[in-house]
Each structure stands twice: as C-alpha cells, then as structure tokens.
Amino acid sequence: MARSDRRRPATLRTIAQAAGVDVSTVSRVLNGSAEDAQRAASRETAEEIRRWAARLDYRPNPHATSLRTRRSNLVGVLVPRLSDLVLATVYEGIEDAAARHGLTTFVMNSHDRPEQQRARTELALSRHVDGLVFGDAHTGAAFLDEFAERRVPFVLVSRHAGRHPSVTCDDRLGGRLVADHFLALGHRRVGVIAGEPFASTGADRTAGFVDRYREAGFPVPDSHVVHCGFDAAGGRDAAERLLRHDPPPTAVFAVNDFAAIGALGALRDHGLRPGQDVAVAGYNDTPLAAELPIPLTSVVSPMREMGARALDLLAELLAGRTAPSERLRPRLAVRASTAPGTVEES
Amino acid sequence: MARSDRRRPATLRTIAQAAGVDVSTVSRVLNGSAEDAQRAASRETAEEIRRWAARLDYRPNPHATSLRTRRSNLVGVLVPRLSDLVLATVYEGIEDAAARHGLTTFVMNSHDRPEQQRARTELALSRHVDGLVFGDAHTGAAFLDEFAERRVPFVLVSRHAGRHPSVTCDDRLGGRLVADHFLALGHRRVGVIAGEPFASTGADRTAGFVDRYREAGFPVPDSHVVHCGFDAAGGRDAAERLLRHDPPPTAVFAVNDFAAIGALGALRDHGLRPGQDVAVAGYNDTPLAAELPIPLTSVVSPMREMGARALDLLAELLAGRTAPSERLRPRLAVRASTAPGTVEES
DNA sequence: TTGTAGGCGTTATCAG
DNA sequence: CTGATAACGCCTACAA
C-alpha cells in the first residue's frame, strides 16, 4: 500500500544523472555486446552504471529502440486455428525459439480462409513486424506469391507451398510408413481420410501412402480417398463415406489423429471393432493417441521442433543470410488400433 | 522482380510533402477520432490527404506512437500451456476481443511453474505491456498479490484467485450439475478425478460436486477424490487409483475432458464398459467429446466467451475504469458415457 | 483552419 | 575513453 504509485520507469537519462555521467556512456555500457563493454568505460564507472541500472530496475524501452533501429523484433505468426493441438504445439516451439533469438511473436488465426489470411497479414504488417511465419499455407493459392513480392521475410511451417522457404515434416515418408505397416499386416483394401485438399500435409501424407500401395500392386481407387476437415467431426463423416463401400476397407489411414478419433467413433457405430475388424492409423501422435481406450497407431511428427526450426530459419533470413528449407523425419508408433495385442511402439 | 526493393514505409512527413500541407494537419486528419476529422481540415484537403495516405500505403508507426503516448497497446497473456485445448480456445477469445479493442496480445507458457510465471511476467514487463491476462493463477500463491502492488493492470481468466478481477466459469455450479445428473441416475458410490489442487477450476468443480453429494446424504470420502494433471495420462493414473477401491465407484467425474478420456482408457483396460458398467463425465465439452467412440457427457463451459470477456474487462481497467469479475454459466451435455442409448444433449 | 516547436527514449556519429 | 548532438515518426500545446 505504501509503495509509490506506478512511477515513471527508469531511462538512460535517469541512470546517467544518478551515476553522474553522460547518457551515451550509459548506453554503451548497457548495450554491452560483450566486446564493447570492455572498452566502453572505465571498470569502475561501468560497474557504477550497472549498479544503478539494477537499483532503478531499468528496462530499455523497446519502442524507442525499434523507432531508432527500424527493427521491431516482432514476428507475426499465422495459423489456421490455435485450438488445433498440432498448430498449438508447433507454436510452442516457435515461441521458445523466438525467446532465444530475442524476438517477440504474436499469433493470429486465419481459419484457413483466404480473406482472413490477407487481413491478418495486413494487421501484422501494420504492427511493423520484422517477419512472418505462415502455418496455414494453401498450395496453389496466389497469396504467398504475391506477398513474396513485398520483400518481407517469411517462412512456412508445417505446410509447404511453391518454393517458399519452409520447415515441414516429411509427410510423404510418413504416408509411406503407414502403407508399409498396413501392407505387412496384409491389408489390401484400404481407405484414406485425406484432410483438406489445399493443405500440403494432408496431400503429401495421402500421396506417400497411395504411391506405396500402387508400387505394391494394389492401387487405391479415388473413391477410397476422402477429403474432410482436420478434426473429429470431419473424420467421422469421411469414415461414414468410406464404410458405404461394399466391401468396406479393412484398414483406414487418417492423415490426422483427430480425424482418426472421429473415424473410430464411426466404426463403432457400425458395430466394427477398431483394431480387430478394421485397422486405423492417425498422424502426429497427439498425446491423446496413446491414452485412448483403444490406443491409436500414429505417425510421430516432431511438432515442437518444426516450430523451433522454422523460427531459426526466419532468424537467418532476418539476419540477411539465406538458409535451405528443412524436412523433418517422421517415424511410426504402432499401437492396438492396427495391431491388437500390441503393447507399444516401433 | 522489377518491384522496388522494400522501400522505406510512408510517414506523416511523406504524405505532408505529397499533399503540400503540414505534418500536423496530416496527423489530425489521419488520427480522425470522428469528431476531429470534421474540423481538422477543409473537406478537400482532408480528402486529398486520405487519398495520398492510401496511395502510399501509409501505416502509422506503432513504435513512434507508443513512445509518444506511453501506451504500447500490448497485452501479455500467460497460460499454463497453449497445447492445452482449453486454454488455446480461451486465448482465441482473447485474441478476437483484443483485435476489437485495437490491442495486440502475445501469449507465453508458464507450465504452471511459479518461477516461469515470474520470469515470463518480467519478460512481458520488459516489453512494456499495458496490461496482463493470467490464465494460470494458483490459489494461495503469493505471486499475484505481490504483483498487484506494482499497479500494472491485470485480470485472471479461467481460474480465479484471491480478490483479483477475473472472468471464470461457475465451476461449482458445473460440479453440481454433474452430481445432480449422477444422483438422478442412482449412483451412490462415486469418484472424482480432481485435477491439480492449485487450480481453482479443478477445486471448485470438485467442491460443487462433493457438496451436492453431501447434501444428498452420500458424502464422498476423501479417498475417492484423486488429484492429477489435466491431461489424458493424468486421468488414466487417477482412474487406476480409483479402481483399486473395493467396491469401485459406479460413476466417475473427471474435471477435464482429457482426464476423462484417460479414465475411459483405464476402465477399458479393466474390462469395464464406460456408460454401461461405470458412468464417466468430463468438463469443458471439448469438440472431441461428442465424437468419441463412446460420446462423453461433459459440462459445457463458454471458453471463447470467457477469454473475450476477460479482455473486455482488462480493457476497462486500462481505460482507468473499474468493472466487476464475472462468472459465466455452464450447462450439462448428456451423452452415452453416462446414459447409454442417449442420442444427445440436455 | 493551419503551422511551429519540442520531446517521448534510444542509438549513432562526430568531436574532444 | 567521454560528451554533445541529431534523428527515428508521431503527437500536442501553443501560436498565427
């Protein structure tokens, strides 16, 4: 209570006065990029200044710095929706890495809608971000190509598009891993719950899976590849459609764990036992997957790492350097939903 | 390609020169708080200025504005972890509302760890935020009380603590709703998967449930209230512990949908059929709940709205006004996990 | 209705 | 090694 009411924060000037030196000296000491610190001021004045800074709880005013240096250290991040666990996890990685680079990030949801992508990007630009991370790239859309012309550094994460720099999971490989597994189990009639057609994630996972089956001599008919939203409701609908086929598939690959969970529900409604009657595999190995009543076989993708690497990549671009796109390696976690009796893992 | 390379953004001065007027005139027109716009400049000059602003793609430099006005329009948001769907959804609400208020928000994860709460809060302060939203309040912890002395406006969301302004769900009521439902179904021997003890959400939901059972004449013994993490793994462990009782409970209330899903798994491992042998209810009505193989009865809490209202409340505080805390009303969605054969809803 | 001047806090340049 | 000085872009008395 007695505390003084929210007084003005300390500035360089405050400290300069307190320490009896010039502002620029204080600035040099406090900027202290290690080397400068040495020859910025005499040992003792430097110490004196640092002491005052600490005592006065000095924090450099980032707005002043940004104004002066024309660098905001701000990064805008666009995701379809943060309530999608996958992107939320990716963002955690982004946030971590950003902190390491001294950058601040803010996220926005685009709901995978082009006009919102544009609007949110403009919003970010109006905040004068130094760069952007797009987690919601649509393949074949003009937006990113147009945006690239503005010369604002950006990277894609999770999904790739065109030749824009990106950090993704090797989704084709992920799809192949599932196909290998299904083939080994003897499944010949399979279906794919393929996600949104505009997302490279779903498309690549599907392509990898379908390719492998074609190579094995069991091409997957188009009718057995069903698009849907990346959530449980979408997965349920898609599974319903797959089950209308006669005979129905004996194994289903959902390109997303939540869609897989929806599919599990649909199967059950049809009196089919997942794992026994129909194998089901998902993608991303959500923490939930292993804990489901019937543990879900899923492709493990390094979501956090993907986010972190994406931000590292952006940091390179911001530093004026260049760096190549990355594709991170997935692996398969086998569980009871495809191999009953399995205790875990591969 | 031919495009000019990332040229300097337009400033007030740029526009002033183009339009042949003074900077301050431009400023007045473009600030345009409706009233000012009227008497700021003659109709035509005003139009002329706006045209130039548009043509030059002018965006006010927020750093300059912040520096000048001592207002950053930045809000820091602290959550336990963004990969928790509940908080991610709450944050979506926050973000929406923030955009409406012209505020920018950035989230950070505290992992519910006190030292991280402190560190992240300091980080936010060093960004010179105007205010904060805490989604990770711990009841009984000293941190918030101490922080309040710094006179930086803040609100709590999802969890409450002390008398700090907050927007929460009426979690006691939520717990009661479940108890009412269980009692109506004839359950006398019940268990609670209670979440983390330091979170008011878990504590209140548990308290409401336990109170109602005590009133009904069937007090819930302490041994039947098990604490755990708010996720599937935590729920599974807790359920395992509940099932060691002999006889085991006939109904289990998990204060969180993910914990409930973990419990579902544990039940199944014990050869029990959720919904038939043991009733299970969750909390928050995650989109997943309705789509599970056995649809989950759950308390519907207005997560997005909670976030939005929290930010509205903060905006009031930032404007120097005061406003009361809010408790939003939950309702129960009854599904097959407690009432087999149920098609949906209440 | 329009213009002038000064400063928000920091950094960079130039002299001493 | 240190100090003065200007400028980043915007806002706002105050003056004309």
Side-chain angles (χ1 to χ4, degrees):
Chain A
M1 278 307 118
R3 271 266 187 295
S4 75
D5 250 30
R6 191 111 141 91
R7 64 173 180 287
R8 286 280 204 74
T11 70
L12 289 184
R13 184 147 49 237
T14 326
I15 298 174
Q17 281 165 355
V21 294
D22 188 272
V23 189
S24 50
T25 305
V26 179
S27 173
R28 283 190 278 254
V29 171
L30 261 29
N31 268 0
S33 39
E35 8 157 341
D36 300 329
Q38 293 279 344
R39 65 242 172 77
S42 69
R43 266 278 169 287
E44 21 181 340
T45 25
E47 271 319 307
E48 176 78 356
I49 287 170
R50 265 189 274 271
R51 249 196 308 280
W52 275 108
R55 264 182 49 64
L56 298 177
D57 193 30
Y58 169 74
R59 313 162 190 274
N61 183 321
H63 307 114
T65 306
S66 295
L67 186 57
R68 189 61 241 253
T69 63
R70 300 159 169 297
R71 251 206 147 230
S72 64
N73 293 316
L74 250 191
V75 170
V77 180
L78 220 55
V79 298
R81 43 169 36 85
L82 213 42
S83 56
D84 173 337
L85 177 74
V86 178
L87 269 303
T89 309
V90 169
Y91 181 69
E92 287 192 356
I94 292 178
E95 224 262 310
D96 269 12
R100 280 203 306 277
H101 290 279
L103 298 170
T104 302
T105 62
F106 64 94
V107 235
M108 298 162 298
N109 301 110
S110 74
H111 303 276
D112 262 331
R113 295 226 299 276
E115 74 289 2
Q116 295 228 21
Q117 284 173 256
R118 289 197 146 80
R120 298 306 208 163
T121 302
E122 289 303 323
L123 186 62
L125 257 27
S126 77
R127 306 285 194 226
H128 284 217
V129 294
D130 288 338
L132 286 156
V133 179
F134 292 104
D136 61 346
H138 287 208
T139 52
F143 173 61
L144 287 174
D145 295 334
E146 290 167 25
F147 186 69
E149 304 217 324
R150 297 220 212 166
R151 314 274 149 174
V152 178
F154 70 91
V155 302
L156 311 185
V157 70
S158 178
R159 305 177 185 170
H160 59 78
R163 315 196 119 285
H164 303 296
S166 64
V167 178
T168 55
C169 175
D170 187 341
D171 289 314
R172 285 188 96 93
L173 175 56
R176 290 188 80 87
L177 294 177
V178 175
D180 285 337
H181 178 55
F182 281 0
L183 282 165
L185 293 170
H187 293 290
R188 298 293 177 256
R189 225 169 46 244
V190 297
V192 183
I193 295 177
E196 304 282 13
F198 51 71
S200 72
T201 45
D204 286 359
R205 291 164 197 175
T206 302
F209 181 90
V210 168
D211 282 357
R212 179 69 187 85
Y213 257 89
R214 184 177 334 96
E215 289 166 24
F218 308 100
V220 181
D222 284 354
S223 61
H224 283 57
V225 175
V226 188
H227 290 280
C228 68
F230 287 118
D231 59 7
R236 166 179 294 272
D237 295 346
E240 294 285 357
R241 261 184 292 161
L242 282 176
L243 289 173
R244 287 208 204 103
H245 292 293
D246 186 23
T250 65
V252 174
F253 170 37
V255 300
N256 172 289
D257 278 358
F258 295 98
I261 291 175
L264 256 27
L267 290 179
R268 200 187 144 100
D269 290 351
H270 284 255
L272 296 165
R273 289 162 307 171
Q276 316 265 136
D277 305 319
V278 180
V280 177
Y283 206 106
N284 281 328
D285 193 37
T286 293
L288 219 52
E291 304 294 338
L292 289 173
I294 300 170
L296 182 69
T297 292
S298 188
V299 177
V300 185
S301 66
M303 300 181 282
R304 282 188 72 99
E305 192 190 344
M306 229 164 54
R309 303 293 301 146
L311 202 114
D312 291 343
L313 178 51
L314 181 62
E316 285 298 295
L317 300 185
L318 291 179
R321 293 187 286 272
T322 88
S325 292
E326 290 187 52
R327 274 189 327 186
L328 274 34
R329 213 180 165 72
R331 63 182 189 80
L332 188 68
V334 175
R335 305 204 181 87
S337 72
T338 57
T342 304
V343 177
E344 172 85 345
E345 223 66 9
S346 128
Chain B
M1 277 306 117
R3 270 273 186 291
S4 74
D5 250 32
R6 190 111 141 94
R7 63 174 180 285
R8 288 279 202 74
T11 68
L12 289 183
R13 185 146 49 237
T14 327
I15 298 174
Q17 282 164 356
V21 294
D22 188 89
V23 192
S24 55
T25 305
V26 179
S27 173
R28 286 190 275 255
V29 170
L30 261 30
N31 268 359
S33 40
E35 7 155 341
D36 301 328
Q38 294 278 345
R39 64 237 173 78
S42 69
R43 266 279 168 286
E44 22 182 340
T45 26
E47 272 318 306
E48 176 78 356
I49 286 170
R50 267 188 274 268
R51 250 196 307 280
W52 275 108
R55 264 182 49 64
L56 297 176
D57 194 28
Y58 169 74
R59 313 162 191 273
N61 183 320
H63 307 113
T65 305
S66 295
L67 187 56
R68 186 61 240 260
T69 63
R70 301 160 169 295
R71 252 207 148 227
S72 63
N73 292 317
L74 252 191
V75 170
V77 180
L78 221 55
V79 298
R81 44 169 36 85
L82 213 43
S83 56
D84 173 338
L85 177 74
V86 178
L87 269 303
T89 309
V90 169
Y91 181 69
E92 287 192 356
I94 292 178
E95 223 263 311
D96 270 12
R100 280 204 306 277
H101 290 279
L103 298 170
T104 301
T105 62
F106 63 95
V107 235
M108 299 162 299
N109 299 324
S110 75
H111 302 277
D112 262 331
R113 296 226 297 279
E115 75 287 2
Q116 296 228 20
Q117 283 173 258
R118 289 197 145 80
R120 299 306 207 159
T121 303
E122 289 304 322
L123 185 63
L125 256 27
S126 77
R127 306 286 194 226
H128 283 216
V129 294
D130 287 338
L132 287 155
V133 180
F134 292 104
D136 61 347
H138 286 209
T139 51
F143 173 60
L144 288 175
D145 295 334
E146 288 167 26
F147 186 69
E149 303 218 325
R150 296 220 214 167
R151 314 273 149 176
V152 178
F154 71 89
V155 301
L156 312 185
V157 71
S158 179
R159 305 177 185 170
H160 59 78
R163 316 196 119 285
H164 304 296
S166 65
V167 178
T168 55
C169 176
D170 188 341
D171 289 313
R172 284 188 96 95
L173 175 56
R176 291 188 80 86
L177 293 177
V178 176
D180 285 337
H181 178 55
F182 280 2
L183 282 165
L185 292 170
H187 294 290
R188 299 294 176 251
R189 225 167 46 243
V190 297
V192 182
I193 296 178
E196 304 281 14
F198 52 70
S200 72
T201 45
D204 286 359
R205 291 164 197 175
T206 302
F209 181 89
V210 168
D211 281 358
R212 181 69 187 85
Y213 257 88
R214 183 175 337 95
E215 289 168 22
F218 308 101
V220 182
D222 284 353
S223 61
H224 283 56
V225 175
V226 188
H227 290 281
C228 68
F230 287 118
D231 59 6
R236 168 179 293 274
D237 295 346
E240 293 286 357
R241 260 183 291 159
L242 282 177
L243 289 173
R244 287 205 205 104
H245 292 293
D246 187 21
T250 65
V252 173
F253 170 37
V255 301
N256 173 290
D257 277 358
F258 295 98
I261 291 175
L264 255 28
L267 290 180
R268 204 188 142 99
D269 290 351
H270 284 254
L272 296 165
R273 290 162 306 171
Q276 316 264 135
D277 304 319
V278 180
V280 177
Y283 206 107
N284 281 329
D285 194 37
T286 294
L288 219 52
E291 303 295 338
L292 290 174
I294 300 170
L296 182 69
T297 292
S298 188
V299 177
V300 185
S301 66
M303 299 180 283
R304 283 186 71 97
E305 194 191 344
M306 229 165 54
R309 302 295 299 147
L311 202 113
D312 290 342
L313 178 50
L314 181 62
E316 286 297 296
L317 300 186
L318 290 179
R321 292 188 286 271
T322 87
S325 294
E326 289 188 53
R327 275 189 325 186
L328 273 34
R329 210 179 166 73
R331 63 182 189 82
L332 188 69
V334 175
R335 305 204 181 86
S337 71
T338 56
T342 303
V343 176
E344 171 85 346
E345 222 63 12
S346 129

